[in-house]
Amino acid sequence: MIPQKPCNQHFQRSLLEEYYLGFLWIRNDRFVQSRSMGTIIMEQFSSDSENPKFMSIPSDRATDLRAAYRVCDLKALEGENLDRYYTQLNEARKTEAMMNISVRLDLQEAGEFSTILFTGHRGCGKSTELRLLERNWRKQYHVVYLETDEQTDINDVEYTDLYLLVVQYLEYELRKLGIQVDQGILADFENWFAEVTEETEESVDKSISLEGEITLGTETLIPIPFLAKLLAKLNSQIKGGSRNKTTIRHTLEKDFSRLKSGINLLLDDGFKKLQQKYPNRKGFLFILDNLDRCPLEVANRLFFNYAAQLQELHCTIVYTIPISTLYSPRGIDTSLGNAYIVPMVNPYHYEADKETLDYAEAGLNALKTLLERRMDTSKIFANETVMFDLIRASGGHVRHLMQMVREACLTAIEIFVYFRQSRSLPFRGCQPIIF
């Protein structure tokens, strides 16, 4: 039975005070030894906080605070971590968004393509769901997952930038598979591209050698074509905010029809060759994640002004859109179709005539399960009441819950080290920590 507490502002304030004081049960002190608190925090925690993208998640459930801190990493689950830590939250979220997308992909015949909109509040778990989608459909589609904020300038993204990303990764993925596209189509597209951008192999090679950061996939058996090098250079200039960015975009927009037809010819030929090698593949599925991070004015321009262009490539594309676009008077459904929404986990029973809402056991238990997949909660929290207090304070926001557990772990360790060194409590009103 979940310990019940009223939902009001006083409770929220006291809850956050408890959370920051770190009311966690510390079971061992093996990570303290004789080192100072500053050394511990700097070595074991601060570097991870500054570089969360590169932090490794433990392979086993956490049984101490250091491991609990790490398993509550804020990045999306992927690879083996999906199997270890993924928690099905659809029932608590009261949504069938992922099921509906899967049905849509299943109903598509080979060679058909569609545009899929995916949205939800920041931190609700969209990227993890998309990583699961990527894994579940890789046998029926050749899936390309892209974090667009890493690949282009997310604060000033245009539809032509997305076209360049699609064709760049299409060429790279085919080359990785050992599939060579029709040389006539490739040469024709390369010649047009070189002409409109006024680039040569010499100028491109020089730029790539100077910018060293560009990855072209040199491990592939097929030689790297000029198109791959040119696309790498253009995308690098757009992402880096080069002065040539505006010129590149204007040039491509002037001859958009040629750009679109060239990419679609490559997509069509690539699909034909893909099916010859993998007969069960229905086509290419591009997942463009993190587009919802673009500013509102950029989102309005991209998803409303250029909605038609976003639907004209011969492949299935999942676009993550800002949830604010759903409420635009311009109507996203009239331009791009209905969006699939991943909501927060609902921790309340909504009743319109009640001022104070009761908590919903289904939502709270779902978040409890999420924590239990990552840690042995009996060894981390002082008791179940404390754990549910923290879950309630998160408001059903998965990322906030992870952040709060991490902060509580840090605070508990700081208090623990201080207490060992001084044998006094660091904060007035702080309860003793159980050793």
Side-chain angles (χ1 to χ4, degrees), residues 85-93 98 129 132 366 369 373:
Y85 302 125
Y86 179 77
T87 305
Q88 180 60 259
L89 298 174
N90 286 347
E91 185 176 343
R93 285 171 169 156
M98 300 312 298
E129 296 292 347
L132 188 66
T369 302
R373 288 292 297 270

Side-chain angles (χ1 to χ4, degrees), residues 22 28 112 161 176 231-232 364:
N28 62 71
E112 295 180 348
D161 305 346
K176 276 203 307 182
L231 289 170
L364 298 180

Side-chain angles (χ1 to χ4, degrees), residues 168 171 175 183 186-208 216 222-234:
Q168 180 183 8
E171 186 282 326
R175 192 155 34 90
Q183 293 303 295
L186 181 63
D188 188 46
F189 194 51
E190 283 180 338
N191 293 336
W192 170 78
F193 231 124
E195 181 182 346
V196 297
T197 58
E198 299 181 350
E199 294 281 2
T200 64
E201 291 216 35
E202 183 181 351
S203 66
V204 169
D205 286 338
K206 182 179 178 181
S207 299
I208 290 177
L216 292 170
I222 299 174
I224 300 173
F226 170 60
L227 178 64
K229 299 176 183 179
L230 177 56
L231 289 170
K233 176 181 179 179
L234 296 179

Side-chain angles (χ1 to χ4, degrees), residues 205-224:
D205 286 338
K206 182 179 178 181
S207 299
I208 290 177
S209 63
L210 288 174
E211 293 172 2
E213 61 189 12
I214 300 173
T215 301
L216 292 170
T218 54
E219 71 278 7
T220 59
L221 297 176
I222 299 174
I224 300 173

Side-chain angles (χ1 to χ4, degrees), residues 277-336:
K277 190 166 186 175
Y278 304 98
N280 293 328
R281 302 279 175 90
K282 294 183 177 183
F284 296 100
L285 171 59
F286 284 85
I287 300 175
L288 303 187
D289 197 6
N290 297 339
L291 273 175
D292 57 313
R293 298 181 182 181
C294 65
L296 181 60
E297 63 275 12
V298 174
N300 287 335
R301 182 176 69 244
L302 184 63
F303 296 111
F304 291 105
N305 296 358
Y306 296 108
Q309 286 82 348
L310 295 181
Q311 302 174 81
E312 293 185 342
L313 292 179
H314 293 179
C315 59
T316 297
I317 304 182
V318 177
Y319 295 104
T320 51
I321 64 172
I323 196 165
S324 59
T325 58
L326 300 183
Y327 305 101
S328 170
R330 300 176 70 176
I332 193 71
D333 55 328
T334 61
S335 55
L336 281 169

